Amino acid sequence: MKRFKPAKALPAGFTPAMLAACQQLLQQEGVQVKLQWNEQEIFASFDGWWLCSSFIPQAKVRDGRCQLQQYAARLRIFGQFGQALPANWLFAMNYGETKAVALLKLIRVLHVLNHLGRNGRHLPLRIDVDPRICHAYSDRIVDFTARLLETLEFPANLSQMLLFLDERTGELGLSLLRRYRQHGHRLALGDFGAGGQDLLRLWRLEPDGLALAPRFMSRAVMYPRVRDQLLQLAPQLVEQGFALAVEDIVCQNMLGLAQRMGAEHCSGPLLSERLKRQRAAREVALSGIAC
């Protein structure tokens, strides 16, 4: 696949020291995978699949302008012929514990390393942690994550963990939250509004924030009754100190609703395009000043 054709020189933003430190850490952890790179990113081959990271910008909208807040990491999986696969594809392979944990560690390295190289060190990174599809091995890489961040000198408070929980993984989620919090991470609950026990889980876990379930947001746009309920609940949660994230925003109506709810982090195609336009306008203005 052309995308994963290795380049000789490291891409801009990456240093040999960063790459060597991560490769050594993986070897120490028994992860026998070689990190590779092209002109833009670091990637790896695992069990015949190509793994890399993508990043979704999350912004707060003020006075019609987007203020970039952080990036959310996404795993991208590609087959040998370039076919894209769902992010949970590898976890459906029924790997044994050793291989599953090695996969989780590799993904964590790819996310943090690529974030620092591509996005820089000044903005936080959000990492999704889904024990529902990780064979309950998510708790095996909490300490590894701490070692990784220490190796790359990236503060834990700039790395937020988004937990996806249900009735089956509630206890594991509570353990994960406590352990990550001990390391100084911020925590949030994902897919909020999709489960019947979400409010009870919110009061019990007391995370720093929550991410609204995209399908809940879509229903709110379509159905006035759902919208009224959401506009009654969400601002109250924000007032109580929970940072609200609204994702997959594709139109102005969805963005307007997110703003009325008091969302701190908004993301989706609409926001990504606006951020690109703002960045392009700044570059044009700076080039004019330079001339």
Side-chain angles (χ1 to χ4, degrees):
M1 184 176 177
K2 185 176 180 180
R3 173 173 180 168
F4 300 110
K5 182 179 180 180
K8 293 183 178 180
L10 284 173
F14 296 85
T15 67
M18 292 168 58
L19 191 69
C22 287
Q23 188 70 75
Q24 183 178 15
L25 179 61
L26 287 172
Q27 290 178 349
Q28 291 173 349
E29 295 287 328
V31 183
Q32 303 301 320
V33 174
K34 183 179 179 181
L35 298 174
Q36 302 178 64
W37 59 88
N38 54 27
E39 296 179 351
Q40 297 181 337
E41 63 188 341
I42 305 297
F43 57 86
S45 175
F46 185 92
D47 204 26
W49 309 101
W50 292 108
L51 308 185
C52 60
S53 302
S54 65
F55 298 94
I56 299 175
Q58 298 189 307
K60 186 169 185 176
V61 181
R62 293 178 178 174
D63 300 324
R65 291 188 62 81
C66 299
Q67 180 180 347
L68 186 59
Q69 300 284 312
Q70 65 181 19
Y71 284 94
R74 291 288 188 276
L75 175 66
R76 301 292 303 279
I77 307 174
F78 295 91
Q80 296 180 359
F81 302 102
Q83 68 273 33
L85 300 166
N88 60 349
W89 173 262
L90 285 176
F91 297 100
M93 297 291 105
N94 293 317
Y95 290 133
E97 179 178 351
T98 299
K99 200 163 189 176
V101 173
L103 172 59
L104 289 171
K105 291 177 179 178
L106 174 61
I107 294 170
R108 192 61 49 88
V109 167
L110 290 174
H111 285 345
V112 178
L113 183 58
N114 276 304
H115 172 67
L116 296 179
R118 294 168 58 181
N119 305 325
R121 296 178 172 272
H122 62 291
L123 285 172
L125 170 67
R126 195 192 81 185
I127 298 175
D128 296 358
V129 181
D130 196 339
R132 299 173 303 181
I133 64 172
C134 294
H135 300 286
Y137 297 137
S138 297
D139 61 329
R140 296 289 304 275
I141 64 167
V142 176
D143 295 332
F144 171 80
T145 301
R147 291 192 292 274
L148 172 63
L149 296 179
E150 182 179 1
T151 297
L152 294 173
E153 298 181 343
F154 188 55
N157 64 351
L158 292 182
S159 179
Q160 181 188 70
M161 302 297 167
L162 184 71
L163 303 181
F164 292 83
L165 307 173
D166 56 22
E167 289 74 14
R168 298 169 299 167
T169 53
E171 291 303 318
L172 173 59
L174 179 59
S175 173
L176 281 171
L177 185 142
R178 289 171 175 169
R179 291 187 62 198
Y180 275 120
R181 183 158 281 160
Q182 288 175 352
H183 287 295
H185 296 278
R186 294 179 300 122
L187 281 301
L189 291 183
D191 222 14
F192 184 82
Q197 302 295 317
D198 284 355
L199 274 177
L200 292 176
R201 194 172 295 116
L202 186 68
W203 307 139
R204 183 187 183 197
L205 300 180
E206 296 184 346
D208 302 295
L210 56 96
L212 198 66
R215 58 186 177 275
F216 191 14
M217 184 68 172
S218 298
R219 291 182 61 215
V221 172
M222 295 176 61
Y223 303 110
R225 184 176 178 180
V226 177
R227 181 165 60 249
D228 292 342
Q229 292 174 344
L230 189 57
L231 286 173
Q232 183 178 5
L233 173 63
Q236 294 183 36
L237 297 177
V238 172
E239 282 186 15
Q240 294 178 46
F242 298 108
L244 175 65
V246 178
E247 305 177 322
D248 294 349
I249 296 176
V250 299
C251 64
Q252 184 59 44
N253 286 341
M254 295 181 73
L255 178 58
L257 181 56
Q259 290 179 279
R260 291 173 65 187
M261 288 188 293
E264 180 72 18
H265 301 117
C266 298
S267 61
L270 182 68
L271 279 299
S272 296
E273 184 60 32
R274 288 192 179 186
L275 286 166
K276 287 180 182 179
R277 291 201 302 265
Q278 287 182 191
R279 183 165 55 248
R282 285 196 301 269
E283 292 174 354
V284 170
L286 290 174
S287 63
I289 294 174
C291 292

